[in-house]
């Protein structure tokens, strides 16, 4: 669809580790179709608007992501006012749950030399007495697709760290609730999206303050996700066969 130079392909789809190029987990997982994206684009005026919303939304997500990681590292962190409710909800949640991140393992590169791929984990953490991979998401829900990504980290990490036993997704977001009907307003990427509840069709909404929201979900069994990830990797390699030959991967 889009033609890339081999150099650009290498840069955007992988990491060079000790002189060897490895495809990155997020690029591989990207081969899976995301039907929800069609609905998203269908709601836009045109393709360009969809791209703009996606870009701005990604930037907002990155800011929240970086702020949360900095807090996990115990650093003095400046919190941008645009994400303050979400960050404060996260801090409260972290303190209540006593979530502890291993500073050495925040934004750390993980390589599977046998299957030839690499990725970057958000954190390794201790939660409820268990040690596992903690992945941070800033989406409106926890999607099953995330499990493909984290399974790819679990496999090589489990061989390296015998105490590692599980994985979690922590979702951090913020929204406003209608004081009259309970509908939810989420502003992301410059776009306002309203999720209505029962009997709210005729409500002239009155939005309350922006409130942070945190959701933590554990996914201990990763074997099935991992075989699906390897299947996705096969398909990704097939799709990119031409460029992968050019960059010397095949
Ligand atoms: Zn309402």
């Amino acid at each position: 669809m889009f033609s890339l130079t081999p150099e650009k392909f290498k840069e955007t789809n992988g990491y060079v580790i000790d002189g060897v190029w490895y495809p990155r987990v997020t690029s591989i997982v990207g081969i899976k179709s995301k039907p929800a994206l069609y609905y998203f684009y269908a709601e836009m005026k045109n393709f360009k608007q969809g791209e703009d919303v996606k870009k701005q939304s990604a930037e907002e997500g990155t800011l929240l992501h970086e702020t949360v990681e900095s807090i996990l590292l115990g650093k003095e962190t400046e919190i941008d006012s645009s994400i303050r409710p979400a960050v404060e909800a996260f801090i409260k949640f972290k303190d209540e749950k006593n979530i502890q991140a291993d500073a050495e393992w925040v934004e750390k590169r993980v390589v599977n030399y046998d299957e030839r791929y690499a990725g970057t984990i958000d954190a390794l953490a201790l939660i409820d007495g268990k040690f596992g991979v903690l992945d941070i998401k800033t989406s409106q829900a926890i999607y099953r697709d995330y499990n493909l990504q984290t399974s790819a980290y679990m496999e090589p990490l489990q061989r390296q760290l015998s105490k590692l036993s599980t994985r979690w997704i922590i979702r951090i977001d913020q929204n406003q609730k209608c004081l009259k009907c309970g509908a939810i307003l989420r502003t992301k990427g410059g776009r306002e999206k309203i999720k209505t509840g029962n009997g709210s069709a005729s409500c002239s909404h009155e939005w309350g303050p922006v409130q942070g929201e945190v959701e933590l979900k554990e996914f201990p069994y990763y074997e099935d996700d991992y075989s699906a990830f390897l299947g996705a990797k096969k398909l990704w390699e097939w799709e990119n066969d031409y460029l992968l030959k050019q960059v010397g991967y095949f």
Side-chain angles (χ1 to χ4, degrees), residues 178 180-181 183 203-206:
C178 173
K180 294 197 281 189
C181 74
C203 180
S204 52
H205 303 302
E206 193 185 313

Side-chain angles (χ1 to χ4, degrees), residues 26-190:
T26 48
S27 290
I28 292 166
V29 171
I31 195 74
K32 185 186 167 297
S33 83
K34 290 162 194 69
L37 267 185
Y38 299 132
Y39 293 97
F40 167 79
Y41 278 104
E43 283 173 358
M44 295 291 132
K45 269 191 289 203
N46 50 42
F47 183 71
K48 167 136 191 340
Q49 192 198 17
E51 291 297 276
D52 290 346
V53 169
K54 256 179 40 184
K55 184 165 173 266
Q56 193 188 328
S57 160
E59 283 166 8
E60 290 165 8
T62 303
L63 176 64
L64 181 52
H65 209 105
E66 283 172 355
T67 305
V68 164
E69 282 182 353
S70 169
I71 290 164
L72 278 175
L73 286 168
K75 283 190 196 160
E76 191 75 44
T77 309
E78 206 183 305
I79 303 167
D80 192 88
S81 60
S82 66
I83 55 168
R84 185 171 293 277
V87 175
E88 280 174 354
F90 166 73
I91 293 171
K92 186 164 169 274
F93 187 88
K94 172 185 145 306
D95 292 346
E96 278 170 9
K97 275 287 233 182
N98 192 23
I99 295 177
Q100 293 173 56
D102 185 335
E104 233 186 278
W105 286 92
V106 171
E107 277 292 306
K108 180 110 170 169
R109 186 70 39 83
V110 174
V111 193
N112 187 333
Y113 295 99
D114 297 340
E115 294 293 342
R116 294 210 290 168
Y117 65 81
T120 306
I121 57 162
D122 289 336
L124 292 186
L126 192 62
I127 306 173
D128 298 331
K130 285 175 274 190
F131 185 53
V133 169
L134 180 66
D135 202 59
I136 302 161
K137 298 293 183 200
T138 58
S139 46
Q140 59 175 331
I142 291 178
Y143 301 107
R144 203 166 158 242
D145 286 22
Y146 298 158
N147 292 343
L148 292 180
Q149 186 190 343
T150 53
S151 73
Y153 305 146
M154 285 299 284
E155 173 70 19
L157 281 171
Q158 276 222 316
R159 278 183 266 156
Q160 206 177 331
L161 305 160
S162 57
K163 284 191 189 122
L164 190 87
S165 68
T166 193
R167 57 186 171 148
W168 299 271
I169 299 287
I170 189 164
R171 186 180 70 82
I172 308 162
D173 194 22
Q174 61 186 36
N175 52 47
Q176 287 165 272
K177 208 174 191 168
C178 173
L179 301 170
K180 294 197 281 189
C181 74
I184 305 265
L185 170 68
R186 185 169 182 263
T187 309
K188 195 121 199 238

